[in-house]
Amino acid sequence: MSILVVGSVAFDTVETPHGKVENVVAGAATYFALAASYFTQVRVVGVVGEDFGPEHEALFTKRGIDIRGIEHAPGKSFHWRGEYSGTMNEAKTLDTQLNVFAEFAPKIPAEYEDSEYLFLANIDPKLQLRVRQQMPNVRMVCGDTMNYWIVDHLDSLKPVLRELDVLLINDGEARLLAGVPNLVKSAEAVLAMGPKSLVIKHGEHGATAFFGDTSFAGDAPITLPFRAPTLPLAEVVDPTGAGDSFAGGFYGYIASQPELTPAVFRRALFYGGVMGSFACESFGTDRTANLTLQEIEERFEDFRAISHL
Amino acid sequence: MSILVVGSVAFDTVETPHGKVENVVAGAATYFALAASYFTQVRVVGVVGEDFGPEHEALFTKRGIDIRGIEHAPGKSFHWRGEYSGTMNEAKTLDTQLNVFAEFAPKIPAEYEDSEYLFLANIDPKLQLRVRQQMPNVRMVCGDTMNYWIVDHLDSLKPVLRELDVLLINDGEARLLAGVPNLVKSAEAVLAMGPKSLVIKHGEHGATAFFGDTSFAGDAPITLPFRAPTLPLAEVVDPTGAGDSFAGGFYGYIASQPELTPAVFRRALFYGGVMGSFACESFGTDRTANLTLQEIEERFEDFRAISHL
């Protein structure tokens, strides 16, 4: 089954207590696509500038990712610069240059139209909605968003939320969207806005899934939330992209399965954590782009071992 | 098997977004003892003042807790006043009156000397060590501490850490004790100070156990940490005592089992979470003091359901 992801493809310059990298290929769609590529066919819709050459494309094509939907525009690619310190739970943004991304108008290649799974990475909700409307026949839609859209573009975001089978956001975003501090109440409020389920990512403390509508989840109704662990890492080299990698592992696993049952949803959350943990182990995409299926399965078993009685 | 707990028995005045209570029986030893009482025989060593009467003692005796070790001293009992707001993850202390607790010199009744399990709740590490030395033949020693002792009394704390089979502290305390932000590195540094294992409590995000010495954990060596969930609660009425209740559920379950195996340790962490979650559901000890075994087992099964594939 194919996943179509629309989102940013960028260059990042990142500094952490473990060192610094400059102008490495990054962006939400990149991390998502690489993580999902171990599970299923992935197709990317994005935009890059003239600085994005064949050596950068190879990062995707080596993983079998379809990048015919990455548009090459005149100018420079999106560039983000940030740093992490202390507990490294949050990035400090030092500079954002949208460049060609400022005028991003997603175009879906005809070859992508039979994609069955759609992932709307964190971009302008107006664009998310437009892409959704161009893909009316997908089996499932998942999406991400962030504080900026929640605070300043809520009216654009609301119709997107109503389209989502799964919304993946972090604690702070959930509380901001709901306007209440309690996590369960936040989840209830967010689910009332439309998404059939909600995955709240807690960074180093794993993730919790809440279910508002179980119709998409097979026969067994899920009345309790579900909590997925993360593997405690002694070396968090660079957490950039961990959330997008989580989404990629989660959604990639779902797309690889014939049916979305509650058991598949739970395993998908574990695979999300697995891919998120790998993303933290190197700068940029180095680790995520060079995994073996055996490494992924072994870590999945570690996740089981650290969480099961 | 009997657990001897030494720690504070106090009156609390607490305000949260859900209301306010004044002068309710509380304190670390109280919460610990009540939670552990569902699993095993508990004996308390503490001190109270003249304001602590038969109606307060009944809270313990109704649960079959042995309070012959609670000394009655002239003066008033320890009193703490605090409030919670926002995400309610941390209390703001408004007032602390040590009263009789300032001169606390734990005395162990002769009837307690055959206790097999010792819990050193959060008190002056000098007193923790003295109690430990008076109980040389216990099978197991667990303990708690807090920022104040870590920062200002580290020299007194260090010999206590060397005596512990399990140290139970929260994220902030672990990082403070270790002096490093990464949780795994913190755990390694804390384990190097002596405790055979370390349980780091993450509040609403569960707890993680790290193992430095597996000799006490049965035949199967544990090389990975273990993560226990918490149940997301829509109504956190008052989180006071949740950490002590966690310790009580954890240690009470261990004391109820013939042998400490890795499987017992993992289940104990789940029971810790179970008792911590109940503690949050009411002001003071109301919920924790009035549970049924069936409620505890049902919640244990909820914990399994929300965390197992």
Side-chain angles (χ1 to χ4, degrees):
Chain A
M1 308 283 193
S2 286
I3 299 179
L4 190 165
V5 52
V6 54
S8 60
V9 178
F11 289 109
D12 278 5
T13 294
V14 182
E15 187 160 1
T16 82
H18 293 274
K20 184 175 178 177
V21 287
E22 297 193 27
N23 297 311
V24 293
V25 180
T30 302
Y31 280 106
F32 176 93
L34 288 170
S37 72
Y38 292 93
F39 302 91
T40 195
Q41 170 65 38
V42 187
R43 297 158 167 180
V44 183
V45 170
V47 62
V48 294
E50 293 153 322
D51 47 5
F52 194 91
E55 73 276 26
H56 306 116
E57 292 181 348
L59 177 72
F60 296 84
T61 52
K62 274 169 69 180
R63 288 285 331 133
I65 298 165
D66 189 334
I67 53 170
R68 286 176 289 179
I70 298 185
E71 178 191 351
H72 290 255
K76 291 176 77 177
S77 300
F78 182 14
H79 185 257
W80 177 79
R81 191 158 65 86
E83 66 177 16
Y84 296 84
S85 60
T87 59
M88 299 177 69
N89 282 326
E90 210 164 348
K92 182 178 171 192
T93 292
L94 300 173
D95 188 30
T96 301
Q97 295 179 13
L98 292 177
N99 299 325
V100 297
F101 199 65
E103 303 296 323
F104 181 36
K107 295 170 195 65
I108 297 168
E111 301 90 337
Y112 284 15
E113 281 171 9
D114 62 350
S115 306
E116 292 187 273
Y117 294 85
L118 177 61
F119 188 75
L120 306 169
N122 169 36
I123 55 171
D124 185 336
K126 285 200 185 73
L127 301 182
Q128 290 180 316
L129 190 63
R130 200 180 306 162
V131 170
R132 167 63 178 124
Q133 287 165 343
Q134 289 175 68
M135 299 293 293
N137 300 318
V138 290
R139 277 177 73 164
M140 193 171 170
V141 188
C142 295
D144 187 10
T145 191
M146 69 180 292
N147 290 0
Y148 174 69
W149 309 115
I150 295 169
V151 173
D152 291 332
H153 298 267
L154 190 57
D155 285 345
S156 303
L157 183 60
K158 280 180 175 174
V160 176
L161 298 179
R162 288 194 287 271
E163 296 294 322
L164 296 179
D165 292 293
V166 190
L167 172 65
L168 296 106
I169 51 181
N170 66 31
D171 296 62
E173 290 157 355
R175 290 187 164 116
L176 190 65
L177 190 52
V180 288
N182 178 278
L183 204 65
V184 178
K185 293 238 173 83
S186 295
E188 288 167 356
V190 172
L191 289 170
M193 296 178 189
K196 290 181 182 161
S197 67
L198 170 65
V199 175
I200 302 183
K201 296 169 287 176
H202 313 306
E204 65 173 335
H205 291 312
T208 307
F210 295 90
F211 306 94
D213 177 334
T214 59
S215 62
F216 72 97
D219 287 335
I222 304 175
T223 50
L224 283 168
F226 186 76
R227 306 205 91 153
T230 49
L231 187 68
L233 295 174
E235 297 275 336
V236 178
V237 175
D238 172 13
T240 309
D244 302 306
S245 303
F246 180 100
F250 168 79
Y251 208 26
Y253 178 73
I254 286 177
S256 76
Q257 299 299 302
E259 195 188 357
L260 178 54
T261 64
V264 165
F265 202 107
R266 293 195 292 270
R267 290 176 66 90
L269 287 166
F270 272 54
Y271 279 111
V274 164
M275 300 311 293
S277 73
F278 283 127
C280 295
E281 292 185 336
S282 73
F283 279 103
T285 60
D286 284 358
R287 186 86 170 107
T288 306
N290 296 289
L291 292 164
T292 64
L293 291 179
Q294 190 186 338
E295 285 176 304
I296 293 170
E297 289 310 311
E298 282 173 4
R299 184 152 297 181
F300 182 90
E301 289 310 316
D302 282 349
F303 270 61
R304 184 201 299 270
I306 66 170
S307 61
H308 281 49
L309 291 170
Chain B
M1 309 282 193
S2 286
I3 299 179
L4 189 165
V5 52
V6 55
S8 60
V9 177
F11 289 110
D12 277 5
T13 293
V14 182
E15 187 161 0
T16 83
H18 293 273
K20 183 175 179 177
V21 287
E22 297 193 27
N23 297 312
V24 293
V25 180
T30 302
Y31 280 106
F32 177 93
L34 288 170
S37 73
Y38 293 93
F39 301 91
T40 195
Q41 169 65 37
V42 186
R43 297 157 167 181
V44 182
V45 171
V47 63
V48 294
E50 292 153 322
D51 47 4
F52 194 92
E55 73 276 27
H56 306 117
E57 292 181 348
L59 176 72
F60 296 85
T61 52
K62 275 170 67 179
R63 290 282 333 132
I65 298 165
D66 190 334
I67 53 171
R68 286 176 291 180
I70 297 185
E71 179 190 350
H72 290 254
K76 292 176 75 176
S77 300
F78 181 14
H79 186 259
W80 178 80
R81 191 159 65 85
E83 67 177 16
Y84 296 82
S85 60
T87 59
M88 299 177 67
N89 282 325
E90 209 164 350
K92 182 179 172 191
T93 292
L94 300 173
D95 188 31
T96 301
Q97 295 179 13
L98 292 176
N99 299 325
V100 297
F101 199 66
E103 303 296 322
F104 182 37
K107 295 170 196 66
I108 297 167
E111 301 91 338
Y112 283 15
E113 281 171 10
D114 62 350
S115 306
E116 291 186 276
Y117 294 84
L118 177 62
F119 188 74
L120 307 168
N122 169 37
I123 55 171
D124 185 335
K126 284 198 185 75
L127 300 183
Q128 290 180 315
L129 189 64
R130 201 181 304 161
V131 171
R132 167 63 177 126
Q133 287 164 344
Q134 289 175 67
M135 298 293 292
N137 299 319
V138 291
R139 276 176 74 162
M140 194 171 170
V141 187
C142 294
D144 186 10
T145 191
M146 69 179 292
N147 291 359
Y148 174 69
W149 309 115
I150 295 169
V151 173
D152 291 333
H153 298 267
L154 190 56
D155 284 346
S156 302
L157 183 59
K158 280 180 175 175
V160 176
L161 298 179
R162 288 194 287 270
E163 296 294 323
L164 296 179
D165 293 294
V166 189
L167 172 65
L168 296 106
I169 50 180
N170 67 31
D171 296 61
E173 290 157 355
R175 290 187 164 116
L176 189 66
L177 191 50
V180 287
N182 177 278
L183 204 65
V184 178
K185 292 238 173 84
S186 295
E188 288 168 356
V190 171
L191 289 170
M193 297 177 188
K196 290 181 182 162
S197 67
L198 169 66
V199 174
I200 302 182
K201 296 169 286 177
H202 313 306
E204 66 173 335
H205 291 313
T208 308
F210 295 89
F211 306 93
D213 177 333
T214 60
S215 62
F216 72 97
D219 287 335
I222 304 175
T223 51
L224 283 169
F226 186 76
R227 305 206 93 152
T230 49
L231 188 68
L233 295 174
E235 296 276 335
V236 177
V237 175
D238 172 12
T240 309
D244 301 308
S245 302
F246 181 100
F250 168 79
Y251 208 26
Y253 178 73
I254 287 177
S256 76
Q257 299 299 302
E259 195 187 357
L260 177 54
T261 65
V264 166
F265 201 107
R266 293 195 293 270
R267 290 176 67 89
L269 288 165
F270 272 54
Y271 279 111
V274 163
M275 300 311 293
S277 73
F278 283 127
C280 295
E281 291 185 337
S282 73
F283 279 103
T285 60
D286 285 358
R287 186 85 171 108
T288 306
N290 295 290
L291 291 165
T292 65
L293 291 179
Q294 189 185 339
E295 285 176 305
I296 293 171
E297 289 309 311
E298 283 173 2
R299 184 152 297 183
F300 183 90
E301 288 310 317
D302 282 349
F303 270 60
R304 185 201 297 273
I306 67 169
S307 61
H308 281 50
L309 291 171

